[in-house]
Amino acid sequence: MRQLSVKLKSAIFGLIYVITFGYSIAQEKPNFIFILTDDQPYGYMGCTGNTIVKTPNLDKLAKEGVLFENAHITSAICTPSRVSILLSQFERKHAVNFNSGTSVSNKAWEKSYPVIMRNSGYYTGWIGKNHAPIGKGGYESGLMEKSFDYWYAGHGHLSFYPKDRHEIFNDAVSDTQIEIINEGVEDFLDTNEQRLKGAVHFLKNRPKNKPFLLSVNFNLPHGASTSTMKLKATDNEMYKTLYRDLTIPLPKNYIAKSDIKTPKLPSDLFKVENRQIGYNYVETPEGVKERYIRQLQAMTGIDNLIGDLRKRLKDLKLDKNTVLIFTSDHGLFMGEQGIGGKALCYEKTTHVPLIIMHPFYHKKTRGITSNALVQSIDIAPTMLKMAGIKIPETFQGKDILPLINGGNDSVRSYVFTENLWSTQFGNPRCEAVQNKEWKYIRYYENTNFSALKKIETANQLGINVNKMLYSVHDSDIAMYQSFIESPLQGEEPVYEELYHLKNDPEELHNLIDQDKYASVLQELKLAWKTEITKARGTGIPNVLRYTEDSKLEAKKPH
């Protein structure tokens, strides 16, 4: 009887311990939901300073987690940025872009965060957009889909109405992107709620005894997706009327095309006449305001999803053990200084929001803001660290868990960003290195053939314009590889910029020729050399050929 009493006391004490500290053996490995938006500049939420947009759920997430105010991507364009996040590598290392003629090899993909976590016992899901070509044949390889226990996504752009492009979404109740993605999230978390026939389930139900990793990927507030909004009668009312009763201001430092006196960059370097037509809305105040309203509507839609998600987690008693991560793949110019689009190294395109909310952590670490220099490649190693999984040597990002814990230590002294997407659309190759106070940008000669001339020829000969503009051939692989290696082999910049971010966060005043900043410039040039060398790493890029030529060969009978 005495022995039973001791056992009973021990059991009660153990139960009290579990309740008190909020987690049991099954909860030692946290769940993760990683939410990635598209084309979202830093200032598109209330918690990041926007006084117009309604994002109460994201603002609450920031108050209960850590908001990183100095987070940057590595490459300011969709595909390389997303591959960088997946592999925790700079583009110079992974070597995959729209113009690279390559896809991520099977071997490289084995070291992606979703595959590593799945192999370590996580139940994994991918919902929304995929813009990373994986395996032989890229998007057609099927490797991406097979790498997850749950798949409900489309390759490439989704548009505002994903059913118009991707059959997988056809049985969703909703027609609009955010709401379809929300249905996928519900289906992943609780398959008894709604069974989506289009979704690929490798198990009938999510195992309750396994931690999960869910990646939620939007194609909003992306410029192309918001351009497809049609204000349909079936759309949620907010997508038709929200913010339209307000006086919408123009972006700070906006310049209409007709008012540009001196271009931001030399015209032979940044050939804006060849800009993709999808960004021409920036040329007029009316075009910018209409697109901005749509982007804000999309942000409020995303915010509603965050609210629904958190409520669902609470209902399922998953909220105490689920880490939420929210960020964007890059920002977007909306006519500031006369610029439209992305694929540059300015703050407008590289600076993104990053919120990480871990429910385990002490209340004193919640609601803090961190000014530490962090990058999107830091997300994968940080998740692995939280999950108790060994971080592979292939990762180039930093574990920022000490910062989430409330520590003040920095994880890096400099941020390095780059643009290797230099094509007929006029964008120059460039690289930037920055600390908290200064940024140095260097540009290389832009000898790319003109998009306008390609379009003219295509129209004359009846050639498909998109084929003419977007097809990548084997010879382009060699050109792209030279983009990677040439600066490391001594290619000199043809134009340089120096900005004092502390006093000039909008990067309006180039100080490169002012002698009094010579020592700062010299320091940053030395840092550039160090950072680009680290970003490149060693060895041949771990990629597969992915061109029009390889696609034709694959179709030929053997």
Side-chain angles (χ1 to χ4, degrees):
M1 193 74 180
R2 175 181 168 80
Q3 186 179 8
L4 180 63
S5 177
V6 170
K7 287 183 178 180
L8 184 60
K9 286 180 180 179
S10 178
I12 292 171
F13 178 79
L15 181 62
I16 292 172
Y17 180 88
V18 168
I19 294 171
T20 302
F21 290 93
Y23 47 108
S24 63
I25 293 172
Q27 293 175 312
E28 285 179 1
K29 285 189 179 294
N31 306 311
F32 294 90
I33 299 180
F34 177 18
I35 301 151
L36 184 68
T37 61
D38 200 339
D39 275 17
Q40 183 190 336
Y42 180 79
Y44 270 34
M45 303 185 295
C47 59
T48 56
N50 194 302
T51 58
I52 299 173
V53 71
K54 298 176 181 178
T55 54
N57 296 298
L58 283 163
D59 299 344
K60 182 180 179 183
L61 188 67
K63 288 180 181 178
E64 296 178 359
V66 180
L67 171 63
F68 289 91
E69 298 178 308
N70 216 342
H72 289 74
I73 49 74
T74 53
S75 300
I77 189 166
C78 292
T79 288
S81 179
R82 289 169 183 249
V83 174
S84 289
I85 292 169
L86 287 162
L87 301 182
S88 186
Q89 293 179 349
F90 289 95
E91 182 185 346
R92 248 185 182 78
K93 177 67 174 175
H94 67 65
V96 177
N97 203 324
F98 294 112
N99 59 323
S100 65
T102 56
S103 62
V104 176
S105 73
N106 298 51
K107 183 178 179 181
W109 182 239
E110 283 297 313
K111 297 298 183 182
S112 67
Y113 80 79
V115 173
I116 291 171
M117 295 183 76
R118 190 186 192 194
N119 290 341
S120 299
Y122 271 79
Y123 179 78
T124 62
W126 187 278
I127 296 172
K129 171 183 176 177
N130 171 49
H131 221 163
I134 309 295
K136 186 177 181 180
Y139 299 114
E140 293 79 33
S141 73
L143 179 57
M144 187 73 169
E145 294 92 323
K146 294 174 184 176
S147 299
F148 295 88
D149 297 302
Y150 181 94
W151 174 268
Y152 192 58
H155 299 297
H157 290 294
L158 300 187
S159 93
F160 196 69
Y161 307 100
K163 293 177 182 177
D164 293 346
R165 293 186 179 225
H166 301 284
E167 186 177 345
I168 193 171
F169 302 119
N170 282 352
D171 69 325
V173 175
S174 306
D175 294 320
T176 46
Q177 182 188 141
I178 296 167
E179 288 65 35
I180 287 176
I181 289 175
N182 201 16
E183 290 184 43
V185 172
E186 285 275 354
D187 191 38
F188 175 87
L189 292 174
D190 186 6
T191 50
N192 294 320
E193 186 72 19
Q194 176 182 351
R195 172 67 69 167
L196 292 169
K197 295 177 183 177
V200 180
H201 296 257
F202 285 88
L203 294 173
K204 185 178 180 181
N205 295 299
R206 178 178 62 80
K208 299 301 188 289
N209 61 342
K210 293 180 71 173
F212 66 79
L213 162 70
L214 175 61
S215 297
V216 181
N217 302 270
F218 291 99
N219 194 192
L220 287 168
H222 190 276
S225 278
T226 49
S227 73
T228 63
M229 295 172 73
K230 298 176 182 176
L231 284 72
K232 293 181 179 179
T234 54
D235 289 356
N236 187 296
E237 190 62 27
M238 69 178 166
Y239 298 134
K240 294 181 285 186
T241 61
L242 190 60
Y243 305 118
R244 294 192 177 278
D245 61 336
L246 304 178
T247 300
I248 301 296
L250 286 168
K252 193 176 181 181
N253 306 308
Y254 173 79
I255 305 176
K257 182 180 180 181
S258 59
D259 295 331
I260 297 174
K261 304 267 191 304
T262 304
K264 174 66 173 174
L265 292 168
S267 58
D268 62 341
L269 180 67
F270 187 25
K271 303 175 182 181
V272 294
E273 69 276 7
N274 291 298
R275 181 172 57 211
Q276 289 170 297
I277 59 173
Y279 299 116
N280 286 347
Y281 62 83
V282 304
E283 295 177 359
T284 65
E286 296 77 18
V288 166
K289 288 181 180 181
E290 174 60 31
R291 192 59 56 92
Y292 186 47
I293 287 172
R294 296 182 181 200
Q295 290 172 339
L296 296 186
Q297 290 171 342
M299 284 306 307
T300 296
I302 291 169
D303 186 79
N304 288 344
L305 182 146
I306 300 296
D308 291 345
L309 168 63
R310 298 198 70 184
K311 182 180 184 303
R312 195 70 185 137
L313 289 173
K314 188 172 183 179
D315 291 343
L316 294 171
K317 296 181 171 52
L318 295 168
D319 57 314
K320 302 297 185 185
N321 193 35
T322 301
V323 177
L324 298 177
I325 301 170
F326 180 91
T327 192
S328 180
D329 61 353
H330 51 74
L332 183 72
F333 269 102
M334 293 287 287
E336 294 91 344
Q337 303 185 68
I339 302 174
K342 45 215 175 189
L344 291 167
C345 291
Y346 293 123
E347 293 293 287
K348 189 66 183 178
T349 53
T350 68
H351 185 201
V352 293
L354 173 60
I355 302 171
I356 300 180
M357 196 285 291
H358 195 322
F360 281 0
Y361 292 165
H362 298 295
K363 289 184 178 180
K364 68 178 183 179
T365 67
R366 297 182 183 181
I368 66 171
T369 56
S370 172
N371 193 39
L373 293 169
V374 299
Q375 293 198 263
S376 54
I377 54 172
D378 299 338
I379 294 170
T382 303
M383 287 196 293
L384 263 58
K385 187 71 171 181
M386 288 182 183
I389 300 170
K390 183 180 178 181
I391 299 170
E393 293 180 358
T394 56
F395 278 19
Q396 294 180 307
K398 308 287 186 181
D399 163 28
I400 60 173
L401 191 54
L403 299 173
I404 299 169
N405 278 327
N408 296 318
D409 295 338
S410 63
V411 295
R412 60 169 55 79
S413 300
Y414 297 97
V415 157
F416 176 78
T417 54
E418 57 191 344
N419 177 54
L420 296 168
W421 186 71
S422 183
T423 67
Q424 65 270 4
F425 295 115
N427 289 76
R429 287 179 292 141
C430 55
E431 299 134 8
V433 65
Q434 66 191 87
N435 54 30
K436 291 183 180 180
E437 188 169 359
W438 293 91
K439 179 190 283 189
Y440 166 60
I441 313 177
R442 50 194 284 143
Y443 299 84
Y444 302 96
E445 186 178 13
N446 186 351
T447 58
N448 293 303
F449 197 72
S450 165
L452 290 178
K453 291 180 180 179
K454 285 189 175 184
I455 293 170
E456 181 183 358
T457 301
N459 288 333
Q460 286 176 352
L461 299 179
I463 300 171
N464 182 284
V465 171
N466 283 339
K467 283 281 188 182
M468 177 71 84
L469 291 175
Y470 294 102
S471 295
V472 179
H473 296 274
D474 288 350
S475 59
D476 294 312
I477 299 176
M479 181 177 292
Y480 176 81
Q481 291 298 325
S482 75
F483 288 175
I484 290 176
E485 304 295 351
S486 292
L488 290 157
Q489 295 170 352
E491 182 181 10
E492 293 294 327
V494 296
Y495 191 77
E496 297 170 288
E497 293 174 307
L498 177 66
Y499 292 104
H500 192 190
L501 296 175
K502 185 176 181 180
N503 296 335
D504 181 23
E506 283 85 27
E507 297 165 308
L508 301 174
H509 308 291
N510 183 10
L511 307 175
I512 196 73
D513 294 324
Q514 295 199 20
D515 292 340
K516 62 182 177 180
Y517 301 119
S519 61
V520 172
L521 180 59
Q522 182 61 24
E523 175 192 333
L524 290 173
K525 283 188 174 184
L526 290 172
W528 163 82
K529 182 64 174 178
T530 299
E531 296 302 319
I532 192 175
T533 302
K534 288 195 296 186
R536 172 62 185 89
T538 58
I540 298 171
N542 208 340
V543 294
L544 297 172
R545 174 175 166 238
Y546 181 47
T547 63
E548 291 299 314
D549 309 277
S550 67
K551 292 176 187 177
L552 285 172
E553 286 182 14
K555 291 178 181 178
K556 290 180 180 178
H558 295 287

